[in-house]
Coordinates of all heavy atoms in Angstrom, one line a residue:
M194 N 81.7 101.5 100.9 CA 82.7 102.5 101.2 C 83.5 102.8 99.9 O 83.6 101.9 99.0 CB 83.7 102.1 102.3 CG 83.1 101.9 103.6 SD 84.4 101.7 104.9 CE 84.9 103.5 105.1
N195 N 84.1 103.9 99.8 CA 85.0 104.2 98.7 C 86.4 104.3 99.2 O 86.7 104.4 100.4 CB 84.5 105.5 98.0 CG 84.7 106.7 98.8 OD1 85.7 107.0 99.4 ND2 83.6 107.5 98.9
P196 N 87.4 104.3 98.3 CA 88.8 104.3 98.7 C 89.2 105.5 99.5 O 90.0 105.4 100.4 CB 89.5 104.3 97.3 CG 88.6 103.6 96.4 CD 87.2 104.1 96.8
E197 N 88.6 106.7 99.2 CA 89.0 107.9 100.0 C 88.6 107.7 101.4 O 89.3 108.2 102.3 CB 88.3 109.1 99.3 CG 88.9 109.4 98.0 CD 88.3 108.6 96.8 OE1 87.2 108.0 97.0 OE2 89.0 108.4 95.8
E198 N 87.4 107.1 101.7 CA 87.0 106.9 103.1 C 87.9 106.0 103.8 O 88.2 106.2 105.0 CB 85.5 106.4 103.1 CG 84.5 107.3 102.6 CD 83.1 106.7 102.4 OE1 83.0 105.6 101.8 OE2 82.1 107.3 102.9
V199 N 88.3 104.9 103.2 CA 89.2 103.9 103.8 C 90.5 104.6 104.0 O 91.1 104.5 105.1 CB 89.3 102.7 102.9 CG1 90.4 101.7 103.5 CG2 88.0 102.0 102.8
K200 N 91.0 105.4 103.1 CA 92.3 106.1 103.2 C 92.3 107.0 104.4 O 93.2 107.0 105.2 CB 92.6 106.9 101.9 CG 93.9 107.6 102.0 CD 94.2 108.3 100.7 CE 95.6 109.0 100.8 NZ 95.9 109.8 99.6
A201 N 91.2 107.7 104.6 CA 91.1 108.6 105.7 C 91.1 107.9 107.1 O 91.8 108.4 108.0 CB 89.8 109.5 105.6
L202 N 90.5 106.7 107.1 CA 90.5 105.9 108.4 C 91.9 105.5 108.7 O 92.4 105.6 109.8 CB 89.6 104.7 108.2 CG 88.1 104.9 108.2 CD1 87.4 103.7 107.8 CD2 87.6 105.5 109.5
V203 N 92.6 105.0 107.7 CA 94.0 104.5 107.9 C 94.9 105.7 108.2 O 95.7 105.6 109.2 CB 94.5 103.7 106.6 CG1 96.0 103.3 106.8 CG2 93.6 102.5 106.4
E204 N 94.8 106.8 107.5 CA 95.7 107.9 107.8 C 95.5 108.5 109.2 O 96.4 108.9 109.8 CB 95.4 109.1 106.8 CG 96.0 108.8 105.4 CD 95.7 109.8 104.4 OE1 94.6 110.5 104.5 OE2 96.5 110.0 103.4
A205 N 94.3 108.4 109.7 CA 94.0 108.8 111.1 C 94.8 108.0 112.1 O 95.0 108.5 113.2 CB 92.5 108.8 111.3
G206 N 95.1 106.8 111.8 CA 95.9 106.0 112.7 C 97.4 106.0 112.6 O 98.1 105.5 113.4
F207 N 97.9 106.8 111.6 CA 99.3 106.9 111.4 C 99.7 108.3 111.1 O 99.3 108.9 110.1 CB 99.7 106.0 110.2 CG 99.6 104.5 110.4 CD1 98.4 103.9 110.0 CD2 100.6 103.8 110.9 CE1 98.3 102.5 110.2 CE2 100.5 102.4 111.1 CZ 99.3 101.8 110.8
D208 N 100.6 108.9 112.0 CA 101.1 110.2 111.7 C 102.0 110.2 110.5 O 103.0 109.5 110.5 CB 101.8 110.7 113.0 CG 100.9 111.4 114.0 OD1 99.8 111.7 113.6 OD2 101.4 111.6 115.1
G209 N 101.7 111.0 109.5 CA 102.6 111.2 108.4 C 102.8 110.1 107.5 O 103.8 110.0 106.8
A210 N 101.9 109.1 107.5 CA 102.1 107.9 106.7 C 101.7 108.3 105.2 O 100.9 109.1 105.0 CB 101.2 106.8 107.2
D211 N 102.3 107.5 104.3 CA 101.9 107.6 102.9 C 100.9 106.4 102.7 O 101.4 105.3 102.8 CB 103.1 107.5 102.0 CG 102.8 107.4 100.5 OD1 101.7 107.7 100.1 OD2 103.7 107.0 99.8
V212 N 99.7 106.7 102.4 CA 98.6 105.7 102.3 C 98.0 105.8 100.9 O 97.7 106.8 100.4 CB 97.5 105.9 103.4 CG1 96.4 104.8 103.2 CG2 98.1 105.9 104.8
A213 N 97.9 104.6 100.3 CA 97.2 104.5 99.0 C 96.2 103.3 99.2 O 96.5 102.3 99.7 CB 98.2 104.1 97.9
V214 N 95.0 103.6 98.6 CA 93.9 102.6 98.7 C 93.3 102.5 97.3 O 93.0 103.5 96.7 CB 92.8 103.0 99.8 CG1 91.7 102.0 99.8 CG2 93.5 103.2 101.1
E215 N 93.1 101.2 96.9 CA 92.4 100.9 95.7 C 91.2 100.0 96.0 O 91.3 99.3 97.0 CB 93.3 100.3 94.7 CG 94.4 101.2 94.2 CD 95.3 100.5 93.2 OE1 95.1 99.4 92.8 OE2 96.3 101.1 92.8
G216 N 90.3 99.9 95.1 CA 89.2 99.0 95.3 C 87.9 99.7 95.5 O 87.7 100.9 95.2
G217 N 86.9 99.1 96.0 CA 85.6 99.7 96.3 C 84.6 98.7 96.8 O 84.9 97.5 96.9
G218 N 83.4 99.2 97.2 CA 82.4 98.3 97.8 C 82.9 97.8 99.1 O 83.1 98.6 100.0
D219 N 83.2 96.6 99.2 CA 83.7 96.0 100.5 C 85.0 95.3 100.4 O 85.5 94.6 101.3 CB 82.6 95.0 101.0 CG 82.4 93.8 100.2 OD1 83.0 93.8 99.0 OD2 81.7 92.9 100.6
R220 N 85.8 95.6 99.3 CA 87.1 95.0 99.0 C 88.1 96.0 98.6 O 87.9 96.8 97.7 CB 87.0 93.9 97.9 CG 86.0 92.8 98.3 CD 85.8 91.9 97.1 NE 84.8 90.9 97.4 CZ 85.0 89.8 98.0 NH1 86.2 89.4 98.3 NH2 84.0 88.9 98.3
F221 N 89.2 96.0 99.4 CA 90.2 97.1 99.2 C 91.6 96.5 99.2 O 91.9 95.5 99.9 CB 90.1 98.1 100.2 CG 88.8 98.9 100.2 CD1 87.7 98.4 100.9 CD2 88.6 100.0 99.3 CE1 86.5 99.1 100.8 CE2 87.4 100.6 99.2 CZ 86.3 100.2 100.0
Q222 N 92.5 97.2 98.5 CA 94.0 97.0 98.7 C 94.5 98.2 99.3 O 94.3 99.3 98.8 CB 94.6 96.8 97.3 CG 94.1 95.6 96.5 CD 92.8 95.9 95.7 OE1 92.6 97.0 95.2 NE2 91.8 95.0 95.8
I223 N 95.3 98.0 100.4 CA 95.8 99.2 101.2 C 97.3 99.1 101.2 O 97.8 98.0 101.6 CB 95.2 99.2 102.6 CG1 93.7 99.2 102.6 CG2 95.8 100.3 103.4 CD1 93.0 98.9 103.9
R224 N 98.0 100.1 100.8 CA 99.4 100.2 101.0 C 99.8 101.3 101.9 O 99.3 102.5 101.8 CB 100.1 100.5 99.6 CG 101.6 100.3 99.6 CD 102.4 101.5 99.4 NE 102.0 102.4 98.4 CZ 101.9 103.7 98.6 NH1 102.2 104.3 99.7 NH2 101.6 104.5 97.6
V225 N 100.6 101.0 102.9 CA 101.0 102.0 103.9 C 102.5 102.1 104.1 O 103.1 101.0 104.3 CB 100.3 101.7 105.3 CG1 100.7 102.8 106.3 CG2 98.8 101.5 105.2
V226 N 103.0 103.2 104.0 CA 104.5 103.5 104.2 C 104.6 104.3 105.5 O 104.0 105.5 105.5 CB 105.1 104.2 103.0 CG1 106.6 104.4 103.3 CG2 104.9 103.4 101.7
S227 N 105.2 103.8 106.5 CA 105.2 104.5 107.8 C 106.4 104.2 108.6 O 106.9 103.0 108.7 CB 104.0 104.2 108.6 OG 104.0 104.8 109.9
D228 N 106.9 105.2 109.3 CA 108.0 105.0 110.3 C 107.6 104.1 111.4 O 108.4 103.5 112.1 CB 108.5 106.3 110.9 CG 109.3 107.2 109.9 OD1 110.0 106.6 109.0 OD2 109.1 108.4 109.9
A229 N 106.3 104.0 111.7 CA 105.7 103.2 112.8 C 106.0 101.8 112.6 O 105.9 101.0 113.6 CB 104.2 103.4 112.9
F230 N 106.4 101.3 111.4 CA 106.7 99.9 111.1 C 108.1 99.5 111.4 O 108.4 98.3 111.3 CB 106.3 99.6 109.7 CG 104.9 99.8 109.3 CD1 104.5 100.4 108.1 CD2 103.9 99.5 110.2 CE1 103.2 100.5 107.7 CE2 102.5 99.7 109.9 CZ 102.2 100.2 108.6
E231 N 109.0 100.5 111.7 CA 110.4 100.2 112.0 C 110.5 99.1 113.1 O 109.9 99.2 114.2 CB 111.1 101.4 112.4 CG 111.3 102.5 111.4 CD 112.3 102.0 110.3 OE1 113.1 101.1 110.5 OE2 112.3 102.7 109.2
G232 N 111.3 98.1 112.7 CA 111.6 97.0 113.7 C 110.5 96.0 114.0 O 110.6 95.2 114.9
L233 N 109.3 96.1 113.3 CA 108.2 95.2 113.5 C 108.2 94.1 112.6 O 108.6 94.2 111.4 CB 106.9 96.0 113.4 CG 106.7 97.2 114.4 CD1 105.3 97.8 114.2 CD2 106.8 96.7 115.9
M234 N 107.6 93.0 113.0 CA 107.4 91.8 112.2 C 106.2 92.1 111.2 O 105.4 92.9 111.6 CB 107.2 90.6 113.0 CG 108.3 90.2 113.9 SD 109.8 89.7 113.1 CE 109.3 88.2 112.3
P235 N 106.2 91.5 110.1 CA 105.1 91.7 109.1 C 103.7 91.6 109.7 O 102.8 92.4 109.4 CB 105.3 90.7 108.0 CG 106.8 90.5 108.0 CD 107.2 90.5 109.5
V236 N 103.5 90.6 110.6 CA 102.2 90.4 111.2 C 101.8 91.6 112.0 O 100.6 92.0 112.0 CB 102.1 89.1 112.0 CG1 100.8 89.0 112.8 CG2 102.2 87.9 111.1
K237 N 102.7 92.1 112.8 CA 102.4 93.2 113.7 C 102.1 94.5 112.8 O 101.2 95.3 113.2 CB 103.6 93.5 114.6 CG 103.4 94.6 115.6 CD 102.2 94.4 116.5 CE 102.0 95.5 117.5 NZ 100.8 95.4 118.3
K238 N 102.8 94.6 111.7 CA 102.6 95.8 110.8 C 101.1 95.7 110.3 O 100.4 96.7 110.3 CB 103.5 95.8 109.6 CG 105.0 96.0 110.0 CD 105.8 95.9 108.7 CE 107.3 96.0 109.0 NZ 108.1 95.9 107.7
Q239 N 100.7 94.5 109.9 CA 99.3 94.4 109.4 C 98.3 94.6 110.5 O 97.2 95.2 110.3 CB 99.1 93.0 108.8 CG 99.8 92.9 107.4 CD 99.4 91.7 106.6 OE1 98.7 90.9 107.1 NE2 99.8 91.7 105.4
Q240 N 98.6 94.1 111.7 CA 97.7 94.3 112.8 C 97.5 95.8 113.1 O 96.4 96.2 113.4 CB 98.2 93.7 114.1 CG 98.1 92.1 114.0 CD 98.8 91.5 115.2 OE1 99.7 92.0 115.9 NE2 98.4 90.2 115.4
L241 N 98.5 96.6 113.0 CA 98.4 98.1 113.2 C 97.4 98.7 112.1 O 96.6 99.6 112.5 CB 99.8 98.8 113.1 CG 100.7 98.5 114.3 CD1 102.1 99.1 114.0 CD2 100.1 99.0 115.6
V242 N 97.5 98.2 110.9 CA 96.6 98.7 109.9 C 95.2 98.2 110.1 O 94.3 99.0 110.0 CB 97.1 98.3 108.5 CG1 96.2 98.8 107.4 CG2 98.5 98.9 108.2
Y243 N 95.1 96.9 110.4 CA 93.7 96.4 110.7 C 93.0 97.2 111.8 O 91.8 97.4 111.8 CB 93.8 94.9 111.1 CG 93.8 94.0 109.9 CD1 94.9 93.1 109.7 CD2 92.7 93.9 109.1 CE1 94.9 92.3 108.6 CE2 92.7 93.0 108.0 CZ 93.7 92.2 107.8 OH 93.7 91.3 106.8
A244 N 93.8 97.6 112.8 CA 93.2 98.3 113.9 C 92.5 99.6 113.5 O 91.6 100.0 114.1 CB 94.3 98.7 115.0
T245 N 93.0 100.2 112.4 CA 92.4 101.5 111.9 C 91.1 101.2 111.2 O 90.3 102.2 111.1 CB 93.3 102.2 111.0 OG1 93.5 101.5 109.8 CG2 94.7 102.5 111.6
I246 N 90.8 100.0 110.8 CA 89.6 99.7 110.0 C 88.8 98.6 110.7 O 87.8 98.1 110.1 CB 89.9 99.4 108.5 CG1 90.9 98.2 108.5 CG2 90.4 100.6 107.8 CD1 91.1 97.6 107.1
N247 N 89.1 98.2 111.9 CA 88.5 97.1 112.6 C 87.0 97.3 112.7 O 86.2 96.3 112.5 CB 89.1 96.9 113.9 CG 88.7 95.6 114.5 OD1 88.7 94.5 113.8 ND2 88.3 95.5 115.8
A248 N 86.5 98.5 113.0 CA 85.0 98.7 113.2 C 84.3 98.4 111.9 O 83.2 97.8 111.9 CB 84.7 100.1 113.6
Q249 N 84.9 98.8 110.7 CA 84.3 98.5 109.4 C 84.3 97.0 109.1 O 83.4 96.5 108.4 CB 85.0 99.4 108.4 CG 84.7 100.9 108.5 CD 85.4 101.5 109.7 OE1 86.4 101.1 110.2 NE2 84.8 102.6 110.2
I250 N 85.4 96.3 109.5 CA 85.5 94.9 109.2 C 84.4 94.2 110.1 O 83.7 93.3 109.6 CB 86.9 94.4 109.5 CG1 87.9 94.9 108.5 CG2 86.9 92.8 109.5 CD1 89.3 94.6 108.8
Q251 N 84.3 94.6 111.3 CA 83.3 93.9 112.2 C 81.9 94.1 111.8 O 81.1 93.3 111.9 CB 83.5 94.4 113.7 CG 84.8 93.8 114.3 CD 84.9 94.3 115.8 OE1 84.2 95.1 116.3 NE2 85.8 93.6 116.4
S252 N 81.6 95.3 111.2 CA 80.3 95.6 110.7 C 80.0 95.1 109.3 O 79.0 95.2 108.8 CB 80.0 97.1 110.7 OG 80.8 97.8 109.7
N253 N 81.1 94.4 108.7 CA 81.0 93.9 107.4 C 80.9 95.0 106.3 O 80.6 94.7 105.2 CB 80.0 92.8 107.2 CG 80.4 91.7 106.3 OD1 81.6 91.5 106.1 ND2 79.5 91.0 105.7
T254 N 81.2 96.2 106.7 CA 81.3 97.3 105.7 C 82.5 97.0 104.8 O 82.4 97.3 103.6 CB 81.4 98.6 106.4 OG1 80.3 98.8 107.2 CG2 81.4 99.8 105.4
I255 N 83.5 96.5 105.4 CA 84.7 96.1 104.6 C 84.8 94.6 104.8 O 84.8 94.1 106.0 CB 86.0 96.7 105.1 CG1 86.0 98.2 104.8 CG2 87.2 96.1 104.4 CD1 87.2 99.0 105.4
H256 N 84.8 93.8 103.7 CA 84.8 92.4 103.8 C 86.2 91.8 103.6 O 86.5 90.8 104.2 CB 83.8 91.8 102.8 CG 83.8 90.3 102.7 ND1 83.3 89.5 103.7 CD2 84.3 89.5 101.8 CE1 83.4 88.3 103.4 NE2 84.0 88.2 102.2
A257 N 86.9 92.3 102.6 CA 88.2 91.8 102.3 C 89.2 92.9 102.1 O 88.9 93.9 101.4 CB 88.1 90.9 101.1
V258 N 90.4 92.7 102.6 CA 91.5 93.7 102.4 C 92.8 92.9 102.1 O 93.0 91.8 102.6 CB 91.7 94.6 103.6 CG1 90.5 95.5 103.8 CG2 92.0 93.8 104.9
Q259 N 93.6 93.6 101.3 CA 95.0 93.2 101.1 C 95.8 94.3 101.6 O 95.6 95.5 101.2 CB 95.2 92.9 99.6 CG 96.7 92.6 99.3 CD 97.0 92.5 97.9 OE1 96.3 93.0 97.0 NE2 98.1 91.9 97.5
I260 N 96.7 94.0 102.5 CA 97.5 95.1 103.2 C 98.9 94.9 102.8 O 99.5 93.8 103.0 CB 97.3 95.1 104.7 CG1 95.8 95.4 105.0 CG2 98.2 96.1 105.3 CD1 95.5 95.3 106.5
I261 N 99.6 95.9 102.3 CA 101.0 95.9 102.0 C 101.6 97.0 102.8 O 101.2 98.2 102.8 CB 101.3 96.1 100.5 CG1 100.5 95.0 99.7 CG2 102.8 96.1 100.2 CD1 100.5 95.3 98.2
T262 N 102.6 96.7 103.6 CA 103.3 97.7 104.5 C 104.7 97.8 104.2 O 105.4 96.8 103.8 CB 103.1 97.3 106.0 OG1 103.7 96.0 106.2 CG2 101.6 97.3 106.4
F263 N 105.2 99.0 104.4 CA 106.7 99.3 104.2 C 107.1 100.3 105.2 O 106.4 101.2 105.5 CB 106.9 99.9 102.8 CG 106.6 99.1 101.6 CD1 105.4 99.2 101.0 CD2 107.5 98.2 101.1 CE1 105.1 98.4 99.9 CE2 107.3 97.4 100.0 CZ 106.0 97.5 99.3
T264 N 108.4 100.2 105.6 CA 109.0 101.3 106.2 C 109.4 102.3 105.1 O 109.5 101.8 103.9 CB 110.3 100.9 107.1 OG1 111.2 100.4 106.1 CG2 109.9 99.9 108.1
P265 N 109.8 103.5 105.4 CA 110.3 104.4 104.3 C 111.5 103.8 103.6 O 111.5 103.9 102.3 CB 110.6 105.7 105.0 CG 109.7 105.7 106.2 CD 109.6 104.3 106.6
A266 N 112.4 103.1 104.3 CA 113.6 102.5 103.6 C 113.2 101.4 102.7 O 113.7 101.2 101.6 CB 114.6 102.1 104.7
E267 N 112.2 100.6 103.2 CA 111.8 99.4 102.4 C 111.0 99.9 101.2 O 111.2 99.3 100.1 CB 110.8 98.5 103.2 CG 111.5 97.8 104.4 CD 110.5 97.2 105.3 OE1 109.3 97.6 105.4 OE2 110.9 96.3 106.1
W268 N 110.3 101.0 101.3 CA 109.5 101.5 100.2 C 110.5 102.1 99.1 O 110.3 101.8 97.9 CB 108.6 102.6 100.7 CG 107.8 103.3 99.6 CD1 107.8 104.6 99.3 CD2 106.8 102.7 98.7 NE1 106.9 104.9 98.2 CE2 106.3 103.7 97.9 CE3 106.4 101.4 98.5 CZ2 105.4 103.4 96.8 CZ3 105.5 101.1 97.5 CH2 105.0 102.2 96.7
E269 N 111.5 102.8 99.6 CA 112.5 103.3 98.6 C 113.2 102.2 97.9 O 113.4 102.2 96.7 CB 113.5 104.1 99.4 CG 114.6 104.8 98.5 CD 115.5 105.7 99.3 OE1 115.2 106.2 100.4 OE2 116.7 105.9 98.8
K270 N 113.6 101.1 98.6 CA 114.2 100.0 98.0 C 113.3 99.3 97.0 O 113.7 98.9 95.9 CB 114.7 99.0 99.1 CG 115.4 97.8 98.5 CD 115.9 96.9 99.7 CE 116.6 95.7 99.1 NZ 117.0 94.8 100.2
A271 N 112.0 99.1 97.3 CA 111.1 98.5 96.4 C 110.9 99.3 95.2 O 110.8 98.7 94.1 CB 109.7 98.3 97.2
Q272 N 110.9 100.6 95.3 CA 110.7 101.5 94.1 C 111.9 101.4 93.2 O 111.8 101.3 92.0 CB 110.5 102.9 94.6 CG 109.1 103.1 95.1 CD 108.9 104.6 95.6 OE1 109.7 105.2 96.3 NE2 107.8 105.2 95.1
K273 N 113.1 101.4 93.8 CA 114.4 101.3 93.0 C 114.5 99.9 92.3 O 115.0 99.9 91.2 CB 115.6 101.5 93.9 CG 115.8 102.9 94.3 CD 117.0 103.0 95.2 CE 117.2 104.4 95.7 NZ 118.4 104.6 96.6
M274 N 113.9 98.9 92.9 CA 113.9 97.6 92.3 C 112.8 97.4 91.3 O 112.6 96.3 90.7 CB 113.9 96.5 93.4 CG 115.1 96.5 94.2 SD 115.0 95.3 95.6 CE 115.1 93.8 94.7
G275 N 111.9 98.4 91.2 CA 110.8 98.3 90.3 C 109.6 97.4 90.8 O 108.8 96.9 90.0
L276 N 109.6 97.2 92.1 CA 108.6 96.3 92.7 C 107.4 97.1 93.2 O 106.4 96.5 93.7 CB 109.2 95.5 93.9 CG 110.4 94.6 93.5 CD1 111.0 94.0 94.8 CD2 109.9 93.6 92.5
A277 N 107.5 98.4 93.1 CA 106.4 99.3 93.7 C 105.8 100.2 92.6 O 106.4 100.5 91.6 CB 106.9 100.1 94.8

């Protein structure tokens, strides 16, 4: 898979999310900024992202992922602090 294919899968699971994907082959880094994460614990946020690519993980098309999630407010704060 390529990053654009993974990005399309993740975007399909989140209305209006800002999604960035890096990597290739079967290893990717995924960053998602979404209102859907408001009030959720980090594990639940990751589970929501995993759900969008679960078929590819089960088929071993995607072997390893690093997922970073933010609410819009968290993303803005991270950018201001130079962490994003």
